[in-house]
Amino acid sequence: MSDEPLHGCRSIDLEGRTVVPGFHDAHCHTSWYGTSLAGIPLRSVASVDDVLSLVRAAADRTPRGRWVIGSGLSPMGAGRALPTLAELDRIAPEHPVWLIASSGHASVVNSRVLELLNRRELEKFEALPTDAHGGLSGLLEEHAHACVLEQAQPYSGDDIVNAIGRAHRNYVAEGITAVQEAGVGAGLVGYGEAEAGAYQRARETGDLLVRTTLMPSFAALHPLRQDRGGQEAMGIDLGMRSGFGDEWLRLGPVKFFTDGSILAGTAELNGGYPNGAFADREGLYDRNEVSRRILGAHRAGWQIAVHAQGDAAIDFVLDCFEEAQQSSPRGDVRHRIEHCSVTSEQAVERMARLGVVPSPQGRFVGVVGEGLRDLLDDDQLRRTYRMRSYLDRGLTVAGSSDRPCTEGDPLRGIHDMVNRRTDRGTAFGDHEGVTAQQALRAYAHGSAYAAHMDGWVGTLEPGMAADFAVLSHDPTAVDSHRIREIDVTATAVAGRFVYDPSGEMV
């Protein structure tokens, strides 16, 4: 290679700032996040009264009969309580009110929403929770919550394009250059059958600012007629699968669910919850059906990403992956477990043997850790939100946020991966802490590896895409408790600055 400088290159003096590979969020929900930015922000509310005040104000400025939607609702942030159906009816009787929980697995609604739903269909899934007086509380969980999402759809193509644009403008301000949209089309986090088309439109309109990998929902799969020795294969129309697309917009893994949320009591735990909590809960998904569809997707050539939070669910997913490889061996598949929240030692060893990629969320330690201390016993807590254990077994860990279930700022996630403290300052699994360098690698190379993109993004070296973030300080050199205070001063994707608030990179 010639030592002469390349034509068209220019040098910029960053005056001591630090350049890192662009952050890559391996599990987020862009359509949901972007849509929530146009609704009522509930993440930081301090009480139920504050929630009701925000809903009343939104109803006052919303035409009669139109939906009033809020996101980020959490009993931990609202005085450990939730608004009730009766309270929402009183302040917004003429609007369907839908307040989505921060977990994405539940919501609170008023009577106008229930009038739009099939009550008999809802009760097929689970008994609707009641309040102290025997009336409906308005809380809907898992499948019942998903019924509301279906009723609120379809979102228009313009709505989704605008949501993508809002989200991506925030992404680049945080140094994010690539994301993986975890579940498009249907299910708990899907935004309709035309969602992938909206991403294509966003690219055409210039709203798609970062590289985007779409994970189709398992609900989009159907049996494919192809010669596979008589074994059923599952796919989408035209036989497209993981990897279809280009460096800006492509198909990634197909997204499955096996359980729910630990905080909601719908995660599947070996031995259940301590003190018999949620003992009457049944499994959310038919394991025989999930197993059949995972095997079919594997046979059709898909990479597979499965939501599994409890250790029982994780063990089941590993059984499915092992059976899939035994029946239809494939090389370098990189099947994934999303969240991978409570993991046994045996499961970690199996993940290493099978080459499974864990996709945990570092920010969960800060946001959710305090609530889990009230739900899980000491042994379960010791095995929750692992990081170091995965690295010690040679696994590649993907960095991700699950935004908008939590804040999505990568530096906040990296901060929690390193410091292992809840937002109240309580230690949470110090033994699973990693170094700043390891956390940075997870949020760049690890996420790229999880999507088979590590051949062109994830590191800063010759031949790789020029995706990078400029930081005010070096995360590996500052005191670890100051990582979350670091600023992103510029972001470039494919060598073009998409975030440059000072204008100095022009």
Side-chain angles (χ1 to χ4, degrees):
M1 180 179 293
S2 171
D3 292 331
E4 294 184 7
L6 295 174
H7 295 291
C9 287
R10 63 192 179 97
S11 299
I12 301 173
D13 184 356
L14 296 178
E15 299 178 342
R17 284 171 287 177
T18 298
V19 176
V20 297
F23 298 124
H24 188 157
D25 193 331
H27 182 118
C28 63
H29 306 288
T30 297
S31 298
W32 175 19
Y33 171 55
T35 301
S36 72
L37 293 173
I40 308 171
L42 300 176
R43 182 173 303 282
S44 59
V45 294
S47 69
V48 169
D49 286 342
D50 289 344
V51 173
L52 297 175
S53 177
L54 290 169
V55 172
R56 181 184 292 108
D60 288 344
R61 62 177 180 266
T62 301
R64 177 180 176 180
R66 296 285 298 274
W67 284 75
V68 172
I69 301 175
S71 291
L73 184 67
S74 170
M76 293 180 63
R80 295 191 176 272
L82 294 172
T84 66
L85 178 143
E87 290 170 328
L88 295 177
D89 283 349
R90 187 165 57 251
I91 64 172
E94 298 180 340
H95 300 79
V97 178
W98 185 30
L99 308 182
I100 305 170
S102 59
S103 69
H105 289 258
S107 52
V108 176
V109 301
N110 68 351
S111 293
R112 290 299 299 272
V113 172
L114 291 179
E115 290 168 5
L116 298 172
L117 305 177
N118 185 325
R119 174 81 173 268
R120 188 170 299 174
E121 189 69 21
L122 285 178
E123 292 176 342
K124 286 182 181 179
F125 300 127
E126 54 258 330
L128 299 181
T130 57
D131 59 23
H133 305 290
L136 292 178
S137 70
L139 176 64
L140 301 179
E141 298 177 294
E142 302 295 349
H143 299 298
H145 161 67
C147 288
V148 188
L149 178 61
E150 293 174 4
Q151 183 62 44
Q153 292 175 1
Y155 289 88
S156 73
D158 287 342
D159 287 340
I160 300 177
V161 170
N162 290 335
I164 292 167
R166 284 191 293 268
H168 280 210
R169 286 189 289 275
N170 283 1
Y171 289 168
V172 296
E174 296 170 348
I176 295 173
T177 58
V179 295
Q180 298 171 41
E181 170 71 275
V184 298
L188 287 173
V189 293
Y191 272 66
E193 296 173 355
E195 189 174 4
Y199 275 91
Q200 287 184 288
R201 282 187 54 198
R203 183 177 181 185
E204 295 163 357
T205 60
D207 289 287
L208 191 87
L209 299 179
V210 306
R211 305 182 194 277
T212 299
T213 297
L214 303 178
M215 297 187 197
S217 166
F218 73 93
L221 301 188
H222 54 76
L224 294 178
R225 294 175 60 190
Q226 56 180 304
D227 184 11
R228 291 284 180 178
Q231 296 177 321
E232 182 182 70
M234 303 290 291
I236 60 178
D237 293 329
L238 304 181
M240 294 179 293
R241 56 180 174 82
S242 304
F244 181 85
D246 61 21
E247 64 182 66
W248 280 97
L249 185 61
R250 59 195 292 277
L251 290 179
V254 61
K255 170 78 177 298
F256 284 85
F257 284 86
T258 56
D259 68 350
S261 160
I262 298 176
L263 283 179
T266 50
E268 294 189 13
L269 296 165
N270 288 318
Y273 287 79
N275 303 319
F278 310 111
D280 58 342
R281 298 276 179 127
E282 296 182 0
L284 293 175
Y285 298 92
D286 183 309
R287 285 194 169 186
N288 290 331
E289 177 66 12
V290 172
S291 176
R292 182 183 70 83
R293 294 174 73 91
I294 286 177
L295 293 178
H298 173 87
R299 288 166 183 152
W302 284 94
Q303 183 187 10
I304 296 167
V306 188
H307 168 117
Q309 293 219 19
D311 48 7
I314 290 167
D315 290 345
F316 165 69
V317 173
L318 292 174
D319 289 343
C320 292
F321 289 168
E322 190 154 22
E323 182 180 354
Q325 281 288 64
Q326 289 174 350
S327 64
S328 299
R330 288 170 49 198
D332 196 27
V333 290
R334 305 185 195 180
H335 290 333
R336 300 165 44 165
I337 298 181
E338 307 303 299
H339 311 304
C340 212
S341 300
V342 182
T343 318
S344 69
E345 302 294 340
Q346 295 81 359
V348 175
E349 295 295 342
R350 290 182 71 192
M351 290 167 66
R353 176 166 54 83
L354 294 170
V356 172
V357 178
S359 180
Q361 290 73 46
R363 188 71 183 104
F364 277 13
V365 171
V367 174
V368 183
E370 206 70 46
L372 297 191
R373 291 167 60 84
D374 297 332
L375 282 176
L376 304 180
D377 62 29
D378 289 343
D379 177 63
Q380 291 168 323
L381 288 170
R382 182 183 59 79
R383 299 183 285 108
T384 298
Y385 302 149
R386 291 179 183 266
M387 296 286 174
R388 178 168 295 281
S389 291
Y390 298 139
L391 295 178
D392 286 348
R393 302 312 195 282
L395 293 167
T396 299
V397 176
S400 69
S401 69
D402 200 21
R403 184 183 351 220
C405 294
T406 62
E407 299 164 282
D409 181 352
L411 286 165
R412 290 300 302 269
I414 289 168
H415 179 97
D416 287 353
M417 292 168 73
V418 174
N419 293 292
R420 302 290 299 196
R421 292 292 184 274
T422 71
D423 285 353
R424 296 183 189 174
T426 307
F428 190 98
D430 283 347
H431 60 287
E432 291 293 345
V434 298
T435 67
Q437 185 171 5
Q438 289 170 325
L440 281 168
R441 182 172 174 80
Y443 251 105
H445 168 76
S447 297
Y449 178 88
H452 289 273
M453 295 172 66
D454 51 312
W456 74 91
V457 297
T459 57
L460 292 178
E461 56 185 314
M464 302 293 278
D467 297 357
F468 58 88
V470 181
L471 308 182
S472 61
H473 297 83
D474 181 353
T476 68
V478 301
D479 182 283
S480 67
H481 297 287
R482 293 185 55 214
I483 292 174
R484 63 187 175 190
E485 301 171 10
I486 294 173
D487 294 323
V488 175
T489 64
T491 304
V493 184
R496 182 175 70 88
F497 284 98
V498 290
Y499 177 71
D500 178 22
S502 69
E504 63 184 315
M505 304 299 175
V506 175

